[in-house]
Amino acid sequence: MQNVNKDTASIQNGGANAINLSSETGMDQAVNDALRYATTLLTQAPDHPEALLLIGTIHTWQRHFVQAIPFLQRATVLLPQNAEAFNTLGFALYNTGRLEDAIVAFREAIKLKPDFPSAQTRLEKALTALDHHKNRVKRYHELLEIDANIEEIARYRAVLAVDSKDISALNGLGKALHASGRSEEAIEPFRLALSYNPVCTESARNLVQILVELDRVEEGIACCRAILDHDPNLPAFHAGAGSLLRKVGRHVEALHYLEQACALQPDNAWFHAVLALIARELGHIDLAITHLRQAITLDPNETNYYLSLTLLTKLMADDPALAAMQMLVKREDTLGDQEKMRLHFALGKALADSGQHCTAFNHQLKANALRRAAIPYDETRIVKGARLVRKHFTAAAIAATAETGHISACPVFIVGMPRSGSTLVEQILASHPQVYGAGEVSTLSDTLKDAAKRFPDWKLGTSLAGLSVRDRHFIAEDYLSRLNKLVVNWAGEHAPTRISNKMLDNFNYIGLIRQLWPNARIIHTVRDPIDTCLSCFSIPFDHLDFAFDLGELGRYYHHYQEQMAHWSRVLPKGAILNVHYEHIVENLEASARRIIAYCDLPWDETCLRFYECRRKVMTSSLAQVRQPIYRSAVGRWRPDAATLQPLLDGLKGRPTKLRTPFESRI
């Protein structure tokens, strides 16, 4: 790295000077010299950022745009604060017809350098080429805002030149910098303001907001704690600290802070609701119900509180919360679409629990229609992506890397459809003293997306066979490092032997998983398809855009089945363990033993008492896994054939026939 840094000045000065020579012949010679010099540097240091940028810039200047793009993409990863790099990348992308990607690059350049005329002009051209009239109007207003922010920044700096300790000016400067997209710079004025006045709540609030936006959550927590050290009677900062602690998985500490917030301000409904959220994820269901009822009492028009309550408990016919919902739905025209959607989902759950299935399903239909209208869902993209994966991951492609994968057997991936028993399976696993259940975490997709940036020649969704063994091991180690950081409040004497990841749509990445970790365990949870889909349809998932239309839901299930059938064909027998929810319900011990044996772990009786496991659970099944096995979810109520037809059509009219217990499984 010393050589890399030492050569930086030569690249910046010599290379730039070479390109700016006036003589055409001299310029050509200088450019060629600079290109050779930068290429030599890359052979010594493949990630030399300035060398990558110079080569990409030269190729762009020579109008060799396709050759330029990989160098510029890598340069922007290594130089994330270099506005010129993003501007040049955008220009190359624009000239190869990749207008959407070019727009992203130009916007990043302007975000880094708001007064950047070249990037602004090029962005306008790119937006015009796409005929994005609305975007052009929006961009015009953005430019006006940038100009206004520049004036504000100058004004506050002038005030601070006279009095560097002016708290109001420091706060104003921080806000203006943040508004202009210069969030990193905005931190310092707020920190200075707090150094002069440690109990300035405005400065602390603004600082925490920016730190969280920059994903510096631990620093945000520290900021909340610092102001509470000076004044412990600030309920909003207790609540803020608790919310951020929950975000990083430290639920026990989070609960303490929310209890303090509620004690200081008992009439704040939102505090009670957040406390209930943390309590339910820790398994303190009764405590969560108590605080949700308190939140409803304080704010009876907030439909989200009713929804949260119905997901935790059954409401009796004379429950005041049910009566309040039924009164609220009579005047639903006074509610926004999101409020109406949550209210109908809540009523659907409450009435289904009391056996009023037809009325309940009508509420679910209304709720899902409202949810679907509010979200974009590109079904074609899902289908094309799945086909592309199947094309790239043949048996030969996976076998080609079988001998060179990472040896770790730590990762366990639980995949499948939502509402298929996956939370129950992870709870059984996490009850084992050698297993940590990380839950639904984006760690794998995050690792792969970062790998695609690090290795521009590799595209996400394609085989890793084109990368070197060293590069593949780097990706594997990166994931394992991130996975280990998720382990919190671990009571074991030694580090966990297995760590599970229950991000269900990782079934799309099974080929990559096998290439990276041939010894990883992959558990596929399966449930009757109609039971699965109707259960999905009853819940307002945040990130499952396919679940709000019966036809789309059925077709997604069909595509998922095709994907799993593909993996069954191209992977060795036994690579994936299929676990049927109905079999767990019928014989818990046999199923649990099978899961534990597949993970190559010794049997432990605590796996049968999974409902006693106190780990945090953050899925829609968090209440169910806190109680022993029950059978009511098998063979759930179904609407009439006409109503169900879109789902059946989506499933291709062939809902899977359940086999008898313990028949042969893949």
Side-chain angles (χ1 to χ4, degrees):
M1 284 303 295
Q2 289 180 342
N3 291 335
V4 172
N5 294 332
K6 182 180 178 182
D7 291 326
T8 297
S10 301
I11 285 287
Q12 290 174 327
N13 298 325
N17 290 337
I19 292 177
N20 287 320
L21 290 176
S22 58
S23 164
E24 184 172 348
T25 304
M27 180 184 289
D28 290 342
Q29 182 61 48
V31 167
N32 289 332
D33 289 344
L35 190 59
R36 281 193 295 271
Y37 182 56
T39 303
T40 300
L41 282 179
L42 287 184
T43 62
Q44 300 169 355
D47 273 346
H48 194 304
E50 285 78 16
L52 288 163
L53 177 56
L54 180 58
I55 292 174
T57 302
I58 291 172
H59 282 317
T60 302
W61 180 78
Q62 295 173 332
R63 305 194 69 79
H64 300 156
F65 300 114
V66 173
Q67 295 95 316
I69 288 170
F71 291 98
L72 294 170
Q73 285 176 325
R74 187 67 187 133
T76 57
V77 172
L78 297 169
L79 299 168
Q81 301 299 316
N82 191 310
E84 188 58 55
F86 282 99
N87 188 31
T88 307
L89 172 61
F91 186 68
L93 291 165
Y94 174 88
N95 282 280
T96 56
R98 295 168 61 180
L99 299 180
E100 296 282 1
D101 292 335
I103 288 167
V104 171
F106 291 140
R107 281 179 166 156
E108 186 62 28
I110 294 168
K111 179 180 176 182
L112 292 167
K113 187 179 177 183
D115 52 340
F116 199 167
S118 171
Q120 291 168 4
T121 301
R122 289 172 174 176
L123 175 60
E124 291 299 315
K125 287 182 179 179
L127 290 171
T128 301
L130 279 177
D131 196 26
H132 280 183
H133 175 70
K134 291 182 179 178
N135 282 341
R136 291 203 302 275
V137 173
K138 179 183 177 185
R139 182 66 198 132
Y140 173 74
H141 288 294
E142 286 175 353
L143 292 173
L144 291 180
E145 289 176 10
I146 288 170
D147 290 340
N149 288 327
I150 291 171
E151 292 180 9
E152 285 283 286
I153 290 167
R155 184 165 64 84
Y156 286 122
R157 289 197 191 282
V159 173
L160 291 167
V162 177
D163 181 1
S164 62
K165 296 184 179 182
D166 187 314
I167 302 297
S168 178
L170 286 168
N171 282 326
L173 176 60
K175 289 178 183 178
L177 288 167
H178 180 238
S180 65
R182 297 156 68 179
S183 297
E184 289 283 356
E185 291 180 66
I187 290 174
E188 184 59 25
F190 294 132
R191 287 202 190 279
L192 276 174
L194 286 169
S195 71
Y196 301 137
N197 181 5
V199 291
C200 180
T201 56
E202 181 186 2
S203 303
R205 183 173 59 252
N206 290 327
L207 178 57
V208 170
Q209 178 188 343
I210 292 175
L211 291 171
V212 173
E213 287 177 6
L214 295 173
D215 202 27
R216 292 160 62 173
V217 180
E218 291 290 351
E219 291 181 59
I221 294 169
C223 182
C224 289
R225 284 178 161 163
I227 196 166
L228 288 172
D229 285 342
H230 290 280
D231 184 354
N233 297 312
L234 297 171
F237 283 92
H238 281 286
S243 298
L244 295 180
L245 285 162
R246 172 188 174 265
K247 187 178 177 73
V248 296
R250 291 153 63 183
H251 281 57
V252 175
E253 296 173 73
L255 188 64
H256 167 74
Y257 277 97
L258 262 301
E259 287 173 338
Q260 292 296 310
C262 288
L264 288 167
Q265 194 173 342
D267 60 348
N268 187 305
W270 184 78
F271 291 172
H272 288 281
V274 177
L275 192 156
L277 174 64
I278 295 167
R280 77 181 192 181
E281 289 171 352
L282 283 171
H284 305 323
I285 303 301
D286 290 340
L287 178 64
I289 291 170
T290 297
H291 282 276
L292 279 172
R293 290 192 182 279
Q294 183 63 25
I296 289 170
T297 299
L298 292 166
D299 188 358
N301 293 321
E302 177 49 68
T303 57
N304 201 35
Y305 301 158
Y306 295 106
L307 178 58
S308 298
L309 180 65
T310 58
L311 292 174
L312 289 182
T313 187
K314 294 181 179 181
L315 303 184
M316 304 297 290
D318 60 349
D319 194 302
L322 180 56
M325 283 192 287
Q326 291 170 329
M327 289 294 293
L328 196 55
V329 81
K330 290 179 180 178
R331 51 182 181 87
E332 66 174 299
D333 56 336
T334 65
L335 303 175
D337 285 348
Q338 286 294 305
E339 288 75 21
K340 284 191 281 190
M341 179 269 294
R342 296 189 190 104
L343 180 60
H344 283 296
F345 270 119
L347 279 166
K349 172 64 166 60
L351 295 173
D353 285 343
S354 64
Q356 301 178 58
H357 295 293
C358 289
T359 306
F361 198 74
N362 284 334
H363 281 293
Q364 290 176 15
L365 287 170
K366 291 177 182 177
N368 280 284
L370 287 164
R371 184 76 172 96
R372 180 64 185 88
I375 58 172
Y377 173 53
D378 188 351
E379 191 172 354
T380 303
R381 182 183 62 83
I382 300 292
V383 175
K384 287 182 178 178
R387 288 175 180 164
L388 186 66
V389 167
R390 295 197 293 273
K391 174 185 174 182
H392 283 287
F393 287 94
T394 62
I398 295 172
T401 59
E403 301 300 320
T404 57
H406 197 286
I407 63 171
S408 176
C410 180
V412 177
F413 296 93
I414 301 172
V415 302
M417 280 288 291
R419 309 301 293 169
S420 62
S422 57
T423 303
L424 175 58
V425 168
E426 186 173 47
Q427 189 77 346
I428 291 169
L429 262 175
S431 299
H432 193 285
Q434 295 181 35
V435 179
Y436 183 82
E440 291 185 356
V441 292
S442 61
T443 314
L444 180 62
S445 60
D446 292 344
T447 302
L448 295 174
K449 287 173 185 175
D450 286 349
K453 294 177 183 177
R454 183 178 179 85
F455 308 109
D457 291 337
W458 175 71
K459 302 299 180 186
L460 187 62
T462 64
S463 170
L464 291 164
L467 294 182
S468 67
V469 174
R470 179 182 177 184
D471 290 344
R472 293 200 302 272
H473 277 224
F474 175 89
I475 298 171
E477 283 287 354
D478 184 26
Y479 173 80
L480 293 173
S481 173
R482 299 179 193 219
L483 197 64
N484 285 322
K485 290 176 182 176
L486 297 175
V487 179
V488 294
N489 300 322
W490 176 251
E493 193 172 324
H494 304 288
T497 305
R498 304 278 184 269
I499 304 176
S500 62
N501 177 338
K502 199 186 78 68
M503 185 60 74
L504 295 174
D505 61 3
N506 281 339
F507 65 77
N508 290 303
Y509 298 135
I510 287 177
L512 292 169
I513 290 169
R514 288 288 299 182
Q515 288 187 321
L516 290 169
W517 308 278
N519 298 317
R521 271 44 177 192
I522 303 170
I523 299 174
H524 172 215
T525 58
V526 187
R527 182 184 177 191
D528 173 83
I530 296 179
D531 281 355
T532 300
C533 291
L534 289 179
S535 187
C536 287
F537 197 66
S538 70
I539 294 173
F541 290 106
D542 286 334
H543 306 295
L544 302 182
D545 294 348
F546 59 82
F548 305 109
D549 175 273
L550 287 173
E552 290 172 345
L553 179 54
R555 289 190 292 275
Y556 183 89
Y557 191 99
H558 177 76
H559 299 317
Y560 139 76
Q561 281 187 316
E562 285 186 327
Q563 209 76 340
M564 292 309 302
H566 171 76
W567 299 128
S568 179
R569 287 191 297 270
V570 301
L571 294 180
K573 187 176 181 180
I576 300 174
L577 180 72
N578 289 319
V579 178
H580 292 258
Y581 173 73
E582 292 82 2
H583 297 156
I584 300 177
V585 171
E586 182 164 340
N587 193 328
L588 170 62
E589 182 168 350
S591 297
R593 284 183 177 274
R594 184 167 167 260
I595 293 166
I596 299 303
Y598 170 74
C599 293
D600 196 23
L601 295 168
W603 173 247
D604 195 285
E605 291 290 329
T606 58
C607 295
L608 299 179
R609 301 190 302 278
F610 60 87
Y611 46 87
E612 296 177 356
C613 180
R614 289 297 96 187
R615 76 181 184 104
K616 69 178 187 293
V617 179
M618 302 176 71
T619 72
S620 58
S621 300
L622 55 84
Q624 290 92 324
V625 297
R626 304 298 186 185
Q627 54 188 300
I629 286 285
Y630 58 93
R631 297 176 177 272
S632 59
V634 176
R636 62 181 290 142
W637 177 88
R638 298 175 182 183
D640 62 87
T643 304
L644 204 57
Q645 196 59 48
L647 176 61
L648 298 177
D649 288 343
L651 294 167
K652 304 301 183 187
R654 296 189 296 273
T656 303
K657 180 181 180 298
L658 286 178
R659 290 168 286 183
T660 56
F662 309 111
E663 280 187 320
S664 61
R665 305 170 188 126
I666 299 173

